Amino acid sequence: MAEKVKTLRLERDYQLYLYYIDGTGNVCQKPKSGKGEAKVLVPNAVERDNQYLYFIDKDGDIARSRRGIRDKAA
């Protein structure tokens, strides 16, 4: 189950852009066409913890869920 980390209410256009959180915690927008540079929409939006997977939820907010842990013996 995901928990909200930060409320942004980000307006998105999924037909033209991809939205993601980069490694430093910035919320970015990149054209789907592959042409053009990624644009930072919200700098330093979240401080990341490697035990969680961060994403932009349906409300346009930043949420996180715990990463699955694999058994090394398998």
Side-chain angles (χ1 to χ4, degrees):
M1 180 166 225
E3 67 175 294
K4 287 199 188 236
V5 178
K6 189 169 190 177
T7 303
L8 296 176
R9 301 283 184 233
L10 187 66
E11 293 290 327
R12 297 157 295 180
D13 181 2
Y14 283 120
Q15 292 182 345
L16 299 175
Y17 299 103
L18 296 171
Y19 297 87
Y20 62 95
I21 302 168
D22 68 6
T24 58
N26 301 322
V27 176
C28 300
Q29 166 185 331
K30 183 173 180 150
K32 278 189 175 179
S33 66
K35 297 176 183 166
E37 295 291 317
K39 178 177 153 184
V40 175
L41 300 177
V42 183
N44 302 317
V46 67
E47 194 169 321
R48 296 176 68 113
D49 180 353
N50 284 336
Q51 294 180 355
Y52 292 93
L53 175 69
Y54 291 85
F55 60 95
I56 301 169
D57 68 6
K58 65 181 180 180
D59 299 324
D61 302 328
I62 298 177
R64 71 180 185 178
S65 62
R66 198 141 176 90
R67 290 182 187 258
I69 300 172
R70 293 187 176 164
D71 185 13
K72 291 184 179 183

